[in-house]
Amino acid sequence: MTVPVITVDGPSGSGKGTVSRAIARQLGWRMLDSGALYRLTALAAEDAGLDPDTDRQAIAALAARLQVEFLSDENNNEIIELNGRDVTQRVRAESTGDMASRCAVIPEVRASLVDLQHAFRRVPGLVADGRDMGTVIFPDAPLKIFLTASVAERTERRFKQLGELGISANIDRIYSEIAARDERDRTRSESPLVPAADAVELDSTGKPVQQVIAEVMDLVDQHGLKETA
Ligand code: DC
């Protein structure tokens, strides 16, 4: 039996992380935060003093050897370890997201992360969050969601999220960084951020997250995926 996958793709701040986590929890499935893998690649590159513009092969080699652990503490907060070190705070920093987006345009880096992403597909099922989950990594997924929201709303959400993580940020800078990152993610030649032809597009602008989760759960139900849980 093939292990079912629900892909949730979209730009940063569209709510796909929160929605994916909630769906995975409700179904009792595993979750793949593929953006974290690009962020961890970026941190490994940063620590090694590598530049995405000039050190493409070296960064791809680092990506192929990433030692990553997704853990949770006693309060169920996520802990991310890279090569045995806790990098939870660094992973979520805006500067890391920007470096991740620069590493993500490198085709060899993307290729290095394919096997690691496929390894997350295990019974009873997987919710995969990213940019190319439905188009490239899991093209056979029975349900594909493409989640969007306006740049203004995504900026506000990111600002709030960073505040909750205790990371200080400038809202105007976040706006321009989100817009620039969208542009880079959408226009890169390798695995650009586009909805799969068979994806269901949902716009979360102005909707409480619980409503978006409920809409996705309805789709899960309609696709007969609840009973596999
Ligand atoms: O979702 P995120 O902000 O954590 O992702 C960080 C960067 O990683 C994003 O700008 C683009 C890249 N990324 C990607 O290219 N493909 C994915 N499947 C996930 C993320």
Side-chain angles (χ1 to χ4, degrees):
M1 190 195 101
T2 54
V3 177
V5 183
I6 297 170
T7 60
V8 185
D9 289 305
S12 56
S14 58
K16 65 195 161 58
T18 311
V19 170
S20 301
R21 223 166 284 282
I23 301 300
R25 199 175 310 119
Q26 289 190 36
L27 292 172
W29 291 9
R30 283 163 63 92
M31 143 117 195
L32 165 62
D33 174 0
S34 61
L37 301 183
Y38 287 92
R39 287 168 180 267
L40 288 160
T41 301
L43 288 183
E46 211 170 84
D47 289 349
L50 299 173
D51 179 344
D53 292 334
T54 50
D55 304 316
R56 302 161 72 101
Q57 298 298 341
I59 297 176
L62 279 181
R65 287 187 273 114
L66 281 187
Q67 293 290 325
V68 190
E69 292 279 2
F70 292 93
L71 310 163
S72 36
D73 68 11
E74 62 281 5
N75 299 319
N76 226 11
N77 294 315
E78 185 177 57
I79 308 279
I80 304 179
E81 288 185 357
L82 172 64
N83 303 325
R85 278 185 303 135
D86 183 344
V87 291
T88 315
Q89 288 274 331
R90 284 181 73 203
V91 163
R92 299 294 164 210
E94 283 305 287
S95 56
T96 305
D98 193 57
M99 178 78 167
S101 165
R102 293 175 62 210
C103 291
V105 300
I106 305 171
E108 295 89 339
V109 168
R110 305 198 71 84
S112 288
L113 292 173
V114 170
D115 288 349
L116 180 55
Q117 293 175 88
H118 284 163
F120 279 78
R121 186 174 193 167
R122 291 204 229 126
V123 282
L126 176 70
V127 180
D129 156 357
R131 304 289 192 292
D132 60 344
M133 299 295 98
T135 47
V136 177
I137 304 296
F138 301 110
D140 64 332
L143 175 59
K144 301 177 184 179
I145 310 288
F146 194 84
L147 202 57
T148 56
S150 69
V151 178
E153 179 145 336
R154 290 190 283 129
T155 301
E156 275 180 36
R157 288 180 192 168
R158 183 65 98 191
F159 184 71
K160 208 169 138 235
Q161 197 181 36
L162 289 170
E164 282 162 6
L165 290 169
I167 299 171
S168 67
N170 173 299
I171 198 154
D172 294 332
R173 224 174 77 207
I174 294 180
Y175 187 96
S176 40
E177 280 175 1
I178 284 184
R181 202 185 314 160
D182 278 3
E183 178 67 14
R184 193 187 298 134
D185 292 347
R186 269 201 194 103
T187 56
R188 68 177 175 226
S189 57
E190 190 78 14
S191 310
L193 172 64
V194 286
D198 52 350
V200 179
E201 293 192 46
L202 288 181
D203 186 345
S204 70
T205 309
K207 284 183 193 165
V209 69
Q210 289 309 330
Q211 185 183 332
V212 182
I213 293 167
E215 285 179 24
V216 175
M217 281 311 287
D218 281 347
L219 289 165
V220 170
D221 207 10
Q222 286 164 27
H223 284 73
L225 291 167
K226 261 187 181 163
E227 52 271 28
T228 61

